[in-house]
Amino acid sequence: MQPVSLTRFLLEEQRAKGLINADLRLLIEVVSRACKSISIAIGKGSLGGALGSAGSENVQGEVQKKLDVLSNEILLEANEWGGHLAALASEEMDDPHPIPHRYPKGEYLLVFDPLDGSSNIDVNISVGTIFSVLRCPDGVSEPDAQAFLQPGAKQVAAGYAVYGPNTLLVLTLGDGVHVFTLDREMGSFILSQQNLRIPEETSEFAINMSNQRHWEAPVQRYIGELVAGTTGPRARDFNMRWVASMVADVHRVLTRGGIFLYPRDTRDSSKPGKLRLLYEANPMSFIVEQAGGAASTGHQRILDVQPAALHERIAVILGSKNEVERVSEYHKTV
Ligand code: AHM
Ligand code: MG
């Protein structure tokens, strides 16, 4: 069979299912092109002079790496002129980025984490880009942060690129999850897996164990039962993996099953979790649900959460459905 490029895949989705229109198709193509550029910059490593700190901090007080800043600029520059967006927002910018007046505006909002897992950049471990697409609310011509504060269930598309041994683009348009592999010689993303499904059975979990003493009781109970192994209530051994790049950890969960947790932390009640709702939790939850998994805060389906702020943080528990449901049950009873 002839390889199916991302371009062809999107065009066929548009024609056959009417799931997307030409603007959304352009948007996803433009984001994928930006991900290719980011992949090239990352691939150059120290030879490209882009490793290390940029000497600045983002709105969340985190030190920005040069590649954080560069990836953000690549995504902004790629997306502002196409006429498909009403505004963009990013982990690396305090406020939404308006479309310059010299360009036409479109009906979509794009929000992204340009380089997720940035603590891994300088040590040559997989990092990624996460993005979410929303519709600009009716009648809003100059979208501010408020326009982005929509529950994840309203996303029209979401995806991530993982820059690992291969560069992959994982995409949902609300009709399953599809994986594209970057053909580096040709410079195009080729469909490598259609309708990805998360395996239901799992014996693998992902959590930063060094935070154990700060977890709340339901998470203590759940992880305690997993690490108890064959003599515990689960009566089998579980394995742990933690890359510390959400894209890589979630990609592993999607591919071979498992559960990923970044739970609420008792250290600081103003920070209910580390990960950001709009550009980390929501797009990943949309993808995981579309692959047959589940995503919860422990108390609520993540996609139902009404955001209150652009850079809001949230507890994330996602992956194989039975495991996520079990943790959610523990939140009711413990
Ligand atoms: P970042 O967006 O600043 O890179 O932070 C998010 C990352 C996630 O990719 C990952 O799951 C988590 O932070 C790792 O946190 P920790 O350093 O606690 O292991
Ligand atoms: Mg990030």
Side-chain angles (χ1 to χ4, degrees), residues 14-49:
Q14 184 185 346
R15 278 191 198 137
K17 300 185 192 155
L19 260 183
I20 55 173
N21 60 22
D23 276 0
L24 185 53
R25 181 159 59 83
L26 176 66
L27 190 165
I28 289 163
E29 290 234 42
V30 170
V31 170
S32 81
R33 271 203 296 277
C35 291
K36 260 184 258 175
S37 303
I38 297 170
S39 173
I40 290 167
I42 290 169
K44 286 190 176 144
S46 58
L47 303 181

Side-chain angles (χ1 to χ4, degrees), residues 58 62 68 91-92 113-118 128 276 279-280:
N58 66 14
E62 298 160 339
D68 281 327
E91 174 179 338
E92 303 302 337
D113 178 354
L115 205 59
D116 178 64
S118 35
R276 276 56 55 113
Y279 40 84
E280 291 174 328

